[in-house]
Amino acid sequence: MNTVVKDKVEIGLVLQGGGALGAYEFGAIEALLELMDAIHAEGRTVTLAAVTGVSIGAINAACVVGATDRADAKRRLQLLWSELSLESRNYWWGIASQDFALFGVHGFYKPRYDYWNVFRWTNFYNTEPMLGTLARHVNFTALNNSPTTFVVTAVDVSSGELVRFCNHPHKGEKRTEIGPRHVLASGSLPPGFPATPIGDANFWDGGIVDNTPLGDAIDAFSGSDDVDRILVVMNLFRSKRAAPKNMIEVNDRLSELRYGNRLRQDGANAAVINELLQTVEALYAAVPVEARDPQLVDKVSRAQRFKTLGAITNIDLADAGLMKEAGLSAESRDSGAFRDFSAAGIQRRREAGYKLARLKLQDVFRTRGLLPVLH
């Protein structure tokens, strides 16, 4: 296959919500940033056009964009996840390691103790600790001044609308001066966590409406023809699993299906979109150049950007072939992995995310001529 190699590369990164599964993203981001350094070493200009995220993905995204460079982004992620890791020696009563987080996660959330008021509760935990964690590990000055488009989403509890908090004007919405509360709002998943107040509104987790904000990343790409655009997303939730054996596993499986299948549906829709775009392009080519008014040219140009959907680099945990190639077991280790903040669980997922992303992205970048092909 002949590939036209372009000197400028734009990467859009889409990060899902999924609790402790965000450690997979941690490892995958490390692999991506390393490969971006390798592309740069080949003499090409490579930039993050956009990083969009929901929930734990919003927290990871803030560390990446709220950094001075790629090395600083990796350092900030490492410090963040070190703070979120639970050491088993502190939990001597013998509960399963994946359930340590039921008692709180230092730097993230802590249980409520006002039991006398339990009939008026609308949440089980207090998330104030995360505001301090974000302030420590995210350079919000760098984030708000970054050329990279940063978008996190949250749901207005009263209106039910999905709201975007963006460091640049985006989709007709004004720029937001991003702070810790905007990131926390994106991860305020009920009924565990309380709504996060910002201004006159209260916000819940954006994943309730859309756990994979692809469109926000696509819209941030430039329209230049001399740029190679690559959209990267990691699907944190498995599509297949054995039937649940108890009510906890039923709830866990419900979360997987609720938050993980949207991306797979978008992939199927992308094929339909691309077919329509091919038809549009064929009809456009039949229009004489002198008859193409500026409005038509602009509409076709904007529509062509959506062909990026057909080139999603989906690092999918359900890809048995990729997992085998990475030397990982395709069998699920546990049901409630998204609440497993044990140090061992986080490290295991970080390493797996790194291996999966490294293999997948190396292949993508080599196919596009951005990295040397190994012989």
Side-chain angles (χ1 to χ4, degrees), residues 66-129:
T68 55
D69 53 33
R70 290 191 281 269
D72 187 38
K74 288 191 286 186
R75 182 184 67 83
R76 289 177 182 277
L77 282 168
Q78 289 163 3
L79 290 172
L80 168 76
W81 283 94
S82 177
E83 186 162 346
L84 299 183
S85 299
L86 297 174
E87 294 292 345
S88 59
R89 64 175 178 270
N90 297 327
Y91 297 86
W92 48 266
W93 48 82
I95 129 179
S97 63
Q98 71 179 40
D99 293 320
F100 290 166
L102 292 173
F103 297 92
V105 174
H106 175 73
F108 195 162
Y109 59 89
K110 57 186 179 182
R112 294 181 60 164
Y113 296 112
D114 56 331
Y115 302 120
W116 60 89
N117 195 37
V118 67
F119 292 110
R120 296 176 63 86
W121 283 12
T122 57
N123 55 278
F124 297 110
Y125 297 97
N126 179 330
T127 52
E128 288 292 318

Side-chain angles (χ1 to χ4, degrees), residues 49-280:
V51 183
T52 67
V54 178
S55 201
I56 196 69
I59 295 169
N60 283 333
C63 284
V64 173
V65 184
T68 55
D69 53 33
R70 290 191 281 269
D72 187 38
K74 288 191 286 186
R75 182 184 67 83
R76 289 177 182 277
L77 282 168
Q78 289 163 3
L79 290 172
L80 168 76
W81 283 94
S82 177
E83 186 162 346
L84 299 183
S85 299
L86 297 174
E87 294 292 345
S88 59
R89 64 175 178 270
N90 297 327
Y91 297 86
W92 48 266
W93 48 82
I95 129 179
S97 63
Q98 71 179 40
D99 293 320
F100 290 166
L102 292 173
F103 297 92
V105 174
H106 175 73
F108 195 162
Y109 59 89
K110 57 186 179 182
R112 294 181 60 164
Y113 296 112
D114 56 331
Y115 302 120
W116 60 89
N117 195 37
V118 67
F119 292 110
R120 296 176 63 86
W121 283 12
T122 57
N123 55 278
F124 297 110
Y125 297 97
N126 179 330
T127 52
E128 288 292 318
M130 178 52 74
L131 294 174
T133 298
L134 288 165
R136 285 190 294 277
H137 300 304
V138 178
N139 182 336
F140 282 96
T141 299
L143 188 156
N144 284 297
N145 293 314
S146 175
T148 298
T149 296
F150 172 86
V151 184
V152 295
T153 59
V155 179
D156 185 315
V157 176
S158 296
S159 71
E161 294 180 358
L162 185 69
V163 176
R164 295 173 178 83
F165 300 122
C166 325
N167 65 343
H168 296 166
H170 185 69
K171 286 188 173 180
E173 298 183 26
K174 295 181 180 178
R175 173 185 181 275
T176 301
E177 184 73 17
I178 304 294
R181 284 196 174 274
H182 299 97
V183 180
L184 178 60
S186 184
S188 298
L189 184 65
F193 299 156
T196 297
I198 298 176
D200 296 329
N202 293 293
F203 294 93
W204 275 339
D205 192 302
I208 294 171
V209 173
D210 183 1
N211 199 42
T212 312
L214 295 177
D216 292 317
I218 292 168
D219 286 343
F221 283 126
S222 70
S224 176
D225 291 334
D226 64 348
V227 174
D228 193 0
R229 291 180 284 273
I230 302 170
L231 187 64
V232 179
V233 59
M234 188 166 187
N235 196 346
L236 298 178
F237 294 91
R238 299 175 186 274
S239 58
K240 298 180 181 179
R241 188 185 290 279
K245 300 182 181 63
N246 53 52
M247 290 302 293
I248 292 178
E249 291 188 4
V250 167
N251 187 64
D252 292 344
R253 184 58 174 152
L254 178 62
S255 294
E256 286 182 326
L257 297 176
R258 177 182 295 157
Y259 299 121
N261 275 4
R262 174 66 182 270
L263 176 59
R264 297 182 178 97
Q265 293 167 1
D266 283 344
N269 292 338
V272 176
I273 292 171
N274 279 344
E275 187 174 348
L276 289 172
L277 283 171
Q278 288 169 3
T279 302
V280 169

Side-chain angles (χ1 to χ4, degrees), residues 263-301:
L263 176 59
R264 297 182 178 97
Q265 293 167 1
D266 283 344
N269 292 338
V272 176
I273 292 171
N274 279 344
E275 187 174 348
L276 289 172
L277 283 171
Q278 288 169 3
T279 302
V280 169
E281 289 171 338
L283 293 171
Y284 178 69
V287 177
V289 176
E290 61 274 13
R292 298 175 184 174
D293 65 77
Q295 189 175 21
L296 174 63
V297 173
D298 181 60
K299 285 183 177 180
V300 172
S301 177

